[in-house]
Amino acid sequence: MSNLKNRVLVYSVNTDVFFNNEENKIGINLMNLRIRKSELEVIKSLENGEFKKYKNKDLHNTLKSEIDILSDDKGVSKLEAIDYMVKDIEKEVSSNSKELKSLLNKNNSKRELMSSKILIEKDGKLIPKSGNVVALFESSLSRTLELSGDNVNDDLIIVKVLYEKVLEDLIKMGFTFNNEDYVYLSSSSGQLKAKKCVFVKKSSFYKMRKNKLTGKKYTNEQKLMCGLSKERINNTIFKKGDAETKGVNINKYLAYLMLQNSATSKWNGFDIDKVLVVPDLEMTISGIVDFIDRDTYKITTDVKKDDLEMNVTDGCGMILPSVSKKSFQFRFNWTKGLLCPFDFLTFAKEVARNTKIKDVWGDEHDIQEEGIEILITSSQLKMWKYYKDWNEFKQLFKDYECEAGICNAENVTKDIHLNYQFIQSLTSMQLQDLKEIAKLSNDDIENLGSSKEKLLRSLGATEENPKKNHLQQALLLHNNLLNDPHVKSMVKNKKEKMIKEAKAGSLRIEGKRMFVFPDLYGFCEFLFNGATKPKGLLSDGNVFSKNLESGECDIMRSPQLFREHGIRTSYKSEELSRWFIAGGLYVSNWDLLSRLLQFDWDGDEINACTNTHFVRVAKEHMEGVNPLFYHMESAPLEQFENENIYNSLKLAFAGNIGKISNKITKIYSSAGEFTEDKLKAIKLLTMYNNFMIDYSKTKFLPKMTPEKAMEEIKVYTNSKAPYFFQFAKDYDKNDIEGKTVKEFIEEENEDGKKSKRLVHEYIPIVNMLEDIISTKNIHFRKVADKLDYRILLTDQEFKKNTKNQPLYKEITEKYRSVNKNKKWMIDKESDGYKENKYLYVSQIIKDDFMIAARKIKPNVKEEEIADILIDFLYREKKADNKKTLWEVFGDIMLNNLMFRVNGNKTCGECGEEFSAISHKEKYCSDKCKKEANKKSKQKYKDKLKVKMTAS
C-alpha cells in the first residue's frame, strides 16, 4: 500500500557550519590535523607491508617526504618517525580542542547558518553542495509543510550533532538562515540514535491555513500536534497513588511527534469517525523464567512466576476485513502501529451477542450503530491521556484537517535468511548439521545461471518483492533482458556477494518472514464479553499461520543476543482459518514468546523456520532455556522546556548498543568450551543492552556494568573481533581472531620457568561456514531469447545521424562524466533508505542531463536523452555496466517495454498501470492529467522562487 517513490529534498548540515569565523578557523585546523593523522596511519600500515588505499594522494606524498626528513634528522626508522609525528599531532589536537571548547562556551549569541557554507556557484548560479542535501520520503510532515519534490526545501534542516555546546545554543535560541528563524522540531527514534535533530522554519511551522469545509483558521503546528500545545502538555496531571506529576517524557514525545515523518502514502478515504480507541488487553500469566536482579546481577534460574504482566496487544489494532483483508502499518497524529483484519463486528453479533464496548476513557459505544470499522488500542494512540475524550480528539483531527498515512503492508516471503546471531547461539552444532543447513545457499550459488527462475530470484526480480526497481520490473516483464551483458555482470557480482554473505551466516532456508499478531479472538472476548482472562483460540505453545504447514517450527527475531529460539507447534483448524485471515503469524496470548524474543505487535516481523534439521538442532539447544525476566524502569515525566529537551537529547545520544552486541558475539566465539559461565555472561549483557535501549526514555541504567558484576566477561571479550567479521562487517584481517580459537593454561616447570600449554581448540560454528560455502564459477545456460534492445526505445527508428550528432556527443560525454563522479546522498536514518538510496541522486543526474541537452536543443524531452543513452550503451559501446542508465531513465525504459509487450503504461501521476491506446499517453485519467499539470505549474513557480532567493 505504501508508495516510497516520492521524495523531498532538504538540507543536512553538521553543527560546525554554525561556527563563527574564529571558531571555524580552529575547526578547520582540527579537521586537517585528523586527516594528517589518518594518512600517517595508512602509511604506517604500508611500511608494515600491508596494502591500504590512501585517501589523499598529495597529502600522502607530502607526509612521506616529511617522514624521510624526520627519520634522517633523528636517526630513527621510518616507523619511529611516524610515531613522533602522530604524538605531535595528538598534542596539537588536544590544544586546539581545548581552545575551541573555550570559544564555544563564551559564545552566547544566536547562531547563523551562512549560505556560503552550504551553497556553491555553478554556471553562474548558487546551488546546494551535494554533501548538504539529503532525500526524505514523502510523509504527513512533508505534505503538511507542502514540501516540493523538485527543489531543495529550506523549510526543514537536519543537523548532525558533533558539538554539544552548539546543539545547546540551537535548542535554546534557534538559529537564522536566509533571514528566517528556525526552531527545533523533533527527532525520530532513528535520528536520536544517529545524533540528528530536525529544525523547522518558524514561518512554515506557524503558517496559517483554512479548513476547506468550516473556514476555521489554524496553523501547521496545530495540524501536526492535533491541537495539543506545550502548555496543555505541561499542565496535564497524572496520579500514581497519592503522588501527582505533570508533563511528558521528552524523548518519547519527540519520537511520537516525528511519527508523521515516517515514509507513508496518504490514506485516502480515511474517516476518523469510523475509528474507536479501546483499552489494551493486559493479562497476568504464569511461566518459568530466569530472574535477574538488576542491582546485584544475581541470576535465579527456573523461577515459577504467576504474576507476569503482559500487554498482549501492545501496538496492534483491528480493521474489518470488508475494509482491508491484509494487515498493514499505519500512522496518524501521535499514533502508530499495525492494523490486522479481524471481523470484530461478526464476533460481537454472533459470539458475544453484544455490540457495545467502552473506549479507553470509559465511554460506551455501539460499534454497529456508529459504523465503527477500526479499533485501535491505547498503546497505539501514544498521547491519549492528554485529551479529554475521543470526541475531542476526533473534533480536533477534523478541525485541523489532519491525515492518516499507510506504511508497509504485509508481505510473506517465499523463504527466509538466517543470520550469524541465529547460528552462533547453537554452540553444539556439528559440522554435518551446518552443511545440511547451508544446502539451499550452496545450491543457489552453484546453480545461479542454470535456470530463469534462479537468475530472476538472485536479482530480486520476484513477484513477492514489494519494492522492485525499474530493472527488476523489466526483467519480470521481458526475460530476454537476462542476456544483457549488464545483467550478467550483475549476476556475477551478486554471486560474489552471496558467497560473502553466506560465509557471514546469511543462509537461505525454508520458512516465512511475516508480521506477528496476538490472538485477536481473545482480545474480542475481553472487549465485548469483559473477560479478564480470555481463553482465545490458541493455547500456549501453539501458533497459527495460513502460510505454514502443521508441525514444529522455530520462531526467531533480529536482533538475537541471548539464546532465543522459539520452538512452537504450527496448528491448524477450521475455526482458526475462519477468524485469522491475515498473512502473518498468530501467537497465543498465554505464550511468553514475545518476552523471549523481545517483540511488540506494532509491525515487528519474525522468521518462522520450518527446516526440520534446523528446528531439531535449535530445539536441542533450547532444553532448559527460559525467557529472561528483570524489572525495567518506567519513564519519568518532565516539563517540556528547552533546558530539559537539551538534556534529554544528550542522554539519547549517549547510548551505544552495537558494542554490547559485539561483546556477546565475542563470547560465543571465544576460546574454550561453551560453559554455563559464558551463558551467564551473555544473559547479563543482554539485560544491560535492553536497559541501554530504553536509557534515553527512562534515564535509568543499573548501577553496575555487567563487567563489574562478572569479571569473566572481560576475559571472554578481551580479544579481536571474530574471524567471520571479515565477511559480516568488512573487518580488516589484522583486526580479527584466527579461524581456530585456542585455549592455553600457564604452567611452571621444575626450573621455575613458565610456559603455555594448549588445552582446547575448536572452530566456532559461524567460522566453519568458510569451508562449507561453495565458490564454484557460474555457468550461464540459455534461459531466454536474444535481447533486441530497441524494445526499450521510445523512438524505435532512432538512428545516430548527423542531425542529432551534437546532442548525441554532449549527452554521451555527460554520461561518462557523471558515471565516474557520482556520489549517493540520502539521509541514512530515513525510512526506506536501503531500498531507495538512489532516488535523489538519479533525479540530480537527470536534471544535469537536461541542462546540458537544452544548450543544444532547448525543447528536448527526457525520452530523447534516454534513447541516445540506450543506443550508446546497448548498440555502440555494448557496455557491461548500465547501472546509471537504469537508475536515471529506468522509468522511461520500463514504460516503453510495458507498452510494447502488453500495451500497458504506468501513469505518470498516480503510478498505477493502465491500458494505453497510444505510446504518447502518460496519464490514466483526466484527473491525474490535471494534477500533473498543477504540479508542473507549481514546479515552475518554485524554480522562480529559488532563482529570486539565490539572487
Side-chain angles (χ1 to χ4, degrees), residues 394-519:
K394 288 195 297 181
Q395 191 58 52
L396 292 168
F397 190 92
K398 288 182 278 190
D399 285 347
Y400 302 138
E401 298 180 295
C402 300
E403 65 168 54
I406 295 175
C407 305
N408 299 320
E410 70 177 50
N411 177 53
V412 180
T413 60
K414 185 175 181 180
D415 287 309
I416 61 171
H417 276 81
L418 303 174
N419 62 43
Y420 72 81
Q421 290 182 331
F422 297 154
I423 297 170
Q424 71 182 5
S425 61
L426 306 178
T427 52
S428 299
M429 190 192 297
Q430 299 301 304
L431 180 63
Q432 192 56 42
D433 293 327
L434 196 56
K435 285 181 178 178
E436 288 289 329
I437 289 164
K439 258 187 174 180
L440 276 183
S441 292
N442 274 335
D443 287 346
D444 288 344
I445 293 166
E446 292 174 1
N447 300 308
L448 196 55
S450 64
S451 73
K452 181 167 59 180
E453 290 71 25
K454 290 184 184 294
L455 284 168
L456 291 172
R457 173 169 285 279
S458 73
L459 296 165
T462 62
E463 294 293 348
E464 67 192 64
N465 179 4
K467 298 172 183 175
K468 291 184 283 291
N469 60 32
H470 294 124
L471 178 55
Q472 289 167 333
Q473 293 176 64
L475 282 163
L476 268 182
L477 186 65
H478 192 60
N479 298 158
N480 292 5
L481 278 164
L482 288 169
N483 289 313
D484 181 354
H486 168 58
V487 173
K488 287 189 175 182
S489 177
M490 285 176 64
V491 173
K492 290 175 183 176
N493 292 335
K494 175 65 177 178
K495 181 219 169 194
E496 295 303 315
K497 185 179 179 183
M498 286 168 66
I499 291 172
K500 183 181 176 184
E501 289 178 345
K503 288 179 179 180
S506 179
L507 304 177
R508 186 166 74 90
I509 197 166
E510 296 90 344
K512 305 293 181 187
R513 181 170 177 81
M514 48 193 165
F515 286 144
V516 60
F517 315 120
D519 184 335

Side-chain angles (χ1 to χ4, degrees), residues 205-466:
F205 195 46
Y206 297 112
K207 179 182 177 181
M208 292 300 301
R209 306 170 69 103
K210 184 187 287 187
N211 188 300
K212 297 180 184 67
L213 293 176
T214 66
K216 182 177 180 176
K217 292 185 178 181
Y218 62 90
T219 64
N220 279 333
E221 178 199 27
Q222 289 174 310
K223 176 171 183 172
L224 290 169
M225 296 184 65
C226 196
L228 290 187
S229 64
K230 177 180 176 181
E231 293 71 28
R232 182 164 184 173
I233 290 169
N234 284 337
N235 292 317
T236 299
I237 298 172
F238 297 91
K239 290 187 177 182
K240 193 173 183 179
D242 296 330
E244 289 187 355
T245 55
K246 294 181 180 180
V248 70
N249 177 272
I250 289 173
N251 283 339
K252 281 189 173 184
Y253 164 87
L254 296 176
Y256 297 158
L257 180 60
M258 285 302 276
L259 291 174
Q260 293 185 85
N261 194 37
S262 301
T264 58
S265 296
K266 187 174 180 180
W267 187 343
N268 294 316
F270 177 80
D271 186 350
I272 193 69
D273 285 323
K274 294 182 179 180
V275 181
L276 188 64
V277 187
V278 295
D280 280 280
L281 172 55
E282 299 187 49
M283 294 170 55
T284 301
I285 64 178
S286 300
I288 307 291
V289 298
D290 285 359
F291 178 75
I292 308 177
D293 187 306
R294 71 186 191 187
D295 297 320
T296 66
Y297 281 81
K298 179 184 176 183
I299 301 177
T300 308
T301 59
D302 300 326
V303 177
K304 176 74 161 62
K305 289 188 72 70
D306 296 318
D307 59 349
L308 291 169
E309 294 181 356
M310 303 275 286
N311 184 343
V312 299
T313 54
D314 191 5
C316 184
M318 297 182 286
I319 185 167
L320 290 178
S322 57
V323 182
S324 175
K325 287 183 170 60
K326 285 193 173 184
S327 56
F328 60 90
Q329 290 176 293
F330 73 104
R331 302 283 189 271
F332 60 82
N333 307 70
W334 311 117
T335 309
K336 65 168 284 191
L338 184 69
L339 285 176
C340 181
F342 186 86
D343 199 343
F344 56 83
L345 181 58
T346 296
F347 179 95
K349 292 191 292 186
E350 295 182 7
V351 180
R353 300 191 183 281
N354 166 45
T355 57
K356 294 180 180 179
I357 55 174
K358 289 186 177 181
D359 66 23
V360 70
W361 289 271
D363 298 322
E364 191 172 83
H365 300 262
D366 190 313
I367 63 165
Q368 187 172 18
E369 286 184 8
E370 296 180 26
I372 300 299
E373 297 176 343
I374 299 169
L375 295 178
I376 66 172
T377 58
S378 55
S379 59
Q380 294 181 306
L381 179 54
K382 306 297 183 180
M383 301 287 280
W384 71 269
K385 292 180 180 178
Y386 295 86
Y387 293 91
K388 295 175 185 176
D389 54 31
W390 182 229
N391 285 331
E392 184 193 29
F393 182 93
K394 288 195 297 181
Q395 191 58 52
L396 292 168
F397 190 92
K398 288 182 278 190
D399 285 347
Y400 302 138
E401 298 180 295
C402 300
E403 65 168 54
I406 295 175
C407 305
N408 299 320
E410 70 177 50
N411 177 53
V412 180
T413 60
K414 185 175 181 180
D415 287 309
I416 61 171
H417 276 81
L418 303 174
N419 62 43
Y420 72 81
Q421 290 182 331
F422 297 154
I423 297 170
Q424 71 182 5
S425 61
L426 306 178
T427 52
S428 299
M429 190 192 297
Q430 299 301 304
L431 180 63
Q432 192 56 42
D433 293 327
L434 196 56
K435 285 181 178 178
E436 288 289 329
I437 289 164
K439 258 187 174 180
L440 276 183
S441 292
N442 274 335
D443 287 346
D444 288 344
I445 293 166
E446 292 174 1
N447 300 308
L448 196 55
S450 64
S451 73
K452 181 167 59 180
E453 290 71 25
K454 290 184 184 294
L455 284 168
L456 291 172
R457 173 169 285 279
S458 73
L459 296 165
T462 62
E463 294 293 348
E464 67 192 64
N465 179 4

Side-chain angles (χ1 to χ4, degrees), residues 735-749:
D735 299 327
I736 58 174
E737 292 289 339
K739 183 188 292 187
T740 302
V741 294
K742 301 177 181 181
E743 181 183 19
F744 297 89
I745 60 170
E746 197 169 66
E747 295 180 328
E748 190 174 305
N749 60 22

Side-chain angles (χ1 to χ4, degrees), residues 757-796:
R757 180 167 63 88
L758 177 66
V759 293
H760 188 273
E761 64 177 319
Y762 83 111
I763 301 177
I765 189 67
V766 185
N767 292 357
M768 293 179 186
L769 286 168
E770 186 183 31
D771 298 323
I772 291 173
I773 299 305
S774 175
T775 56
K776 289 183 179 179
N777 292 330
I778 301 176
H779 297 289
F780 288 102
R781 296 178 184 173
K782 184 178 179 181
V783 296
D785 294 331
K786 185 179 178 181
L787 173 68
D788 181 354
Y789 75 91
R790 292 174 299 176
I791 199 170
L792 303 171
L793 293 164
T794 301
D795 176 11
Q796 284 198 293

